[in-house]
Amino acid sequence: MAVLHSNGFCFAAVAFNHPPSVSHGAGTVKASCSPFSSPLVPRLSLQRQAVLDNNGSPETKENSLVVCFGEMLIDFVPTTNGLSLAEAPAFKKAPGGAPANVAVGIARLGGSSAFIGKVGADEFGYMLADILKENNVNNEGMRFDPGARTALAFVTLRKDGEREFMFYRNPSADMLLQESELDFDLIRKAKIFHYGSISLITEPCKSAHLAAAKAAKDAGVIVSYDPNLRLPLWQSADSAREGILSIWNTADIIKMSEEEISFLTKGEDPYDEAVVRKFYHPNLKLLLVTEGPNGCRYYTKDFSGRVKGLKVDAVDTTGAGDAFVAGILSQLAADLSLLQEEDRLRDALKFANACGALTVMERGAIPALPSKEAVTNAMLKLVA
């Protein structure tokens, strides 16, 4: 395997009143509606399994905790592929949002995860909080905004299962998360802190994002970054490039796609090793480039290579990249020494590739995320 050497790019670092209350009891998380929410929306009581400390209060398993920061929303996915949004006869409602997908994906794989973000104090927001609970994701970092709605995204599925998005965020609650609302204790407990770039687009969420990432770095937490380009959400292509690259050098682990390489380099070849190595900064521990059904490439300071993917019939590629990220982060959270041992890292990436492949076989993101058992079975069938 080739040893990675790179000069790298030089990337510069860069309110609401009466929110719903969130109380933490021994085994429950309760989010109550604010005086400004609709009286027709019921109060939400979230029962969850909790690890109790000596004082009887919830304690998250800290040794392998992955905290995911950013957006959680509702995807509306057409029931028929290959049609425009106007032509689609019906849509399937599916919870989504890349950081939330990763959190659920890790929990489905048996790992420990938490989500930090904001949704509306509306029925969709409460539904999303409940879904995190049902999937054993710590949701104590969620906030509910009485003045803004939960974000919606309508997804067009082409005949090949690839997607196009139309977003409803004018503004949505996730854009309004403030630094003062962050659960810094939860961030500092993490082994890995993961985020995307959508939370960098507008204030006040951008400042909250930067403050959360700084707190994680200062606490010695491994920082993971998936740019997750959604160009329609940015003011322009140039602002998207600037925003995505503004925090590049702070990350310890970066996952990017072929399309994102082409976009960030204004059309350079994502298969050219010299192009890819421009993205490797001196403090980076792992750079991953996903290639859809063809698998992924990996780069560390000491080695690099490619791991083949699983070939499956794609129904909906929504969440495939997030499932891949969940797969590799769940492995790294359990044992960071994988970063120094190429054979074991390759095994972890085979596992992550299988996570992504299984996800594209169903519609929606969170509904399609696989269990550890399903991934293991798929890998055994591949070997057989």
Side-chain angles (χ1 to χ4, degrees), residues 8-14 241-242 244-250 254 264-265 278-281:
F9 284 161
C10 180
F11 300 142
V14 289
R241 290 187 191 95
E242 181 181 356
I244 288 171
L245 295 176
S246 68
I247 60 170
W248 203 263
N249 287 349
T250 65
I254 296 175
L264 292 172
T265 58
K278 293 177 183 179
F279 290 96
Y280 197 98
H281 67 75

Side-chain angles (χ1 to χ4, degrees), residues 6-311:
S6 170
N7 293 326
F9 284 161
C10 180
F11 300 142
V14 289
F16 62 89
N17 297 320
H18 307 292
S21 62
V22 180
S23 59
H24 311 304
T28 64
V29 179
K30 294 184 179 179
S32 5
C33 299
S34 89
F36 297 97
S37 5
S38 164
L40 299 178
V41 180
R43 288 176 179 264
L44 176 72
S45 179
L46 305 181
Q47 300 294 328
R48 70 178 185 89
Q49 295 296 318
V51 179
L52 302 183
D53 63 19
N54 294 332
N55 297 321
S57 57
E59 180 183 276
T60 307
K61 291 184 293 183
E62 299 162 11
N63 60 334
S64 62
L65 175 65
V66 180
V67 174
C68 301
F69 173 93
E71 69 279 2
M72 190 173 191
L73 47 83
I74 304 290
D75 287 326
F76 285 91
V77 184
T79 55
T80 304
N81 287 15
L83 299 176
S84 68
L85 291 177
E87 295 169 331
F91 295 85
K92 175 184 176 182
K93 178 185 65 185
N101 294 343
V102 173
V104 172
I106 289 169
R108 288 255 178 98
L109 295 170
S112 175
S113 65
F115 175 75
I116 292 177
K118 183 183 269 191
V119 293
D122 52 38
E123 290 197 25
F124 281 148
Y126 296 143
M127 182 194 82
L128 293 174
D130 201 25
I131 285 169
L132 291 180
K133 177 267 301 183
E134 291 167 0
N135 283 279
N136 298 313
V137 176
N138 181 326
N139 63 4
E140 294 174 9
M142 285 190 80
R143 301 294 180 258
F144 300 82
D145 194 319
R149 295 298 188 190
T150 300
L152 307 179
F154 285 82
V155 186
T156 302
L157 295 179
R158 302 200 305 254
K159 289 182 180 179
D160 61 1
E162 286 297 333
R163 309 147 296 156
E164 296 174 358
F165 294 87
M166 183 169 71
F167 294 93
Y168 284 76
R169 303 169 81 237
N170 295 308
S172 53
D174 60 288
M175 302 164 67
L176 302 178
L177 181 67
Q178 300 184 47
E179 181 179 346
S180 61
E181 297 172 303
L182 295 174
D183 188 335
F184 286 105
D185 288 339
L186 184 60
I187 293 169
R188 296 185 185 105
K189 286 179 182 178
K191 189 166 189 177
I192 299 174
F193 183 68
H194 175 74
Y195 51 73
S197 69
I198 290 175
S199 46
L200 293 170
I201 297 175
T202 57
E203 293 288 2
C205 189
K206 178 180 177 179
S207 292
H209 177 134
L210 297 176
K214 183 179 186 303
K217 291 291 285 187
D218 290 348
V221 177
I222 296 293
V223 172
S224 166
Y225 182 31
D226 176 2
N228 192 39
L229 175 66
R230 295 290 179 266
L231 192 53
L233 296 179
W234 295 85
Q235 288 187 343
S236 66
D238 286 341
S239 67
R241 290 187 191 95
E242 181 181 356
I244 288 171
L245 295 176
S246 68
I247 60 170
W248 203 263
N249 287 349
T250 65
D252 300 298
I253 299 167
I254 296 175
K255 172 262 175 189
M256 58 194 311
S257 67
E258 306 158 284
E259 295 83 3
E260 286 161 348
I261 292 175
S262 295
F263 172 76
L264 292 172
T265 58
K266 297 186 178 180
E268 292 186 35
D269 183 1
Y271 297 100
D272 184 335
E273 290 293 287
V275 171
V276 176
R277 294 180 188 196
K278 293 177 183 179
F279 290 96
Y280 197 98
H281 67 75
N283 296 318
L284 195 60
K285 293 178 171 60
L286 178 63
L287 174 65
L288 297 168
V289 178
T290 54
E291 300 178 348
N294 296 320
C296 67
R297 284 172 277 166
Y298 60 91
Y299 303 83
T300 74
K301 291 179 181 178
D302 300 318
F303 48 77
S304 64
R306 182 188 300 270
V307 177
K308 292 181 180 179
L310 277 67
K311 296 293 171 47

Side-chain angles (χ1 to χ4, degrees), residues 320-368:
D322 303 326
F324 173 88
V325 172
I328 188 59
L329 293 187
S330 68
Q331 302 290 300
L332 290 172
D335 187 359
L336 283 173
S337 70
L338 294 175
L339 295 170
Q340 282 79 48
E341 300 179 36
E342 186 172 7
D343 287 344
R344 295 176 62 220
L345 178 61
R346 288 181 63 85
D347 287 340
L349 290 171
K350 289 176 186 175
F351 181 88
N353 282 341
C355 292
L358 291 177
T359 301
V360 306
M361 297 173 70
E362 296 184 35
R363 295 184 190 276
I366 287 177

